[in-house]
Amino acid sequence: MSEKEKITEADKEFSEDVKTQLTREVTVEDVKIKPYTFGQFIELTPILERIYKEIEEKELFKDGFPEKLEFKRDFIKLYMIAAKDMIKLISLACPEVTEDEIKEWPIEKGMLILATIFYINLGFLKNISALFT
């Protein structure tokens, strides 16, 4: 691949990343998932603070947030840390679903929705994390 083709490919990937960031609302398993708003971030701050402290204590992301979570090493530990706040984390990102409905989902659906919420907010999480490290 020539240098020009590499640059063109990089520009194309950057454009796709920008589009993704601007239109991050996705639908998974018939559930509309939206990135957190500024107001929701403020509402989530006490929860995120608790989760952040536990992540730090357990040295889960000592090298920063990964691009992809490894199931055994990262996702299970993150699940254990965030378990008591999962319904709230989901309900804010999925405003069309009630907390009672979320509680009735199969485990696989809930975990898929949580992973999607994590990924669509990952850019923001990385940026905010960089401010504190």
Side-chain angles (χ1 to χ4, degrees), residues 15-30:
S15 293
E16 287 304 312
D17 286 346
V18 169
K19 276 192 234 173
T20 300
Q21 292 300 313
L22 294 174
T23 59
R24 294 181 296 166
E25 182 179 297
V26 295
T27 300
V28 175
E29 299 253 342
D30 298 325

Side-chain angles (χ1 to χ4, degrees), residues 63-114:
D63 298 324
F65 283 105
E67 290 296 323
K68 186 174 184 180
L69 293 176
E70 288 185 29
F71 188 74
K72 285 184 180 178
R73 187 191 75 206
D74 302 323
F75 200 72
I76 296 297
K77 289 179 184 176
L78 188 57
Y79 166 81
M80 295 301 183
I81 291 168
K84 71 179 191 176
D85 301 305
M86 286 184 188
I87 301 295
K88 184 68 170 178
L89 293 169
I90 293 172
S91 67
L92 287 174
C94 307
E96 296 175 6
V97 182
T98 68
E99 289 187 8
D100 287 336
E101 290 172 317
I102 294 167
K103 291 175 185 176
E104 295 299 317
W105 287 347
I107 292 169
E108 298 84 358
K109 181 175 181 174
M111 297 306 285
L112 180 59
I113 300 293
L114 277 170

Side-chain angles (χ1 to χ4, degrees), residues 51-64:
I51 291 171
Y52 179 79
K53 282 180 183 176
E54 282 195 53
I55 286 172
E56 199 173 53
E57 287 170 10
K58 292 180 173 41
E59 297 182 346
L60 181 56
F61 299 127
K62 59 185 168 200
D63 298 324

Side-chain angles (χ1 to χ4, degrees), residues 41 48 65 117-119 121-130:
F41 174 68
L48 296 175
F65 283 105
I117 291 167
F118 176 81
Y119 284 115
N121 289 285
L122 184 60
F124 174 75
L125 292 170
K126 282 182 168 184
N127 291 337
I128 200 74
S129 173

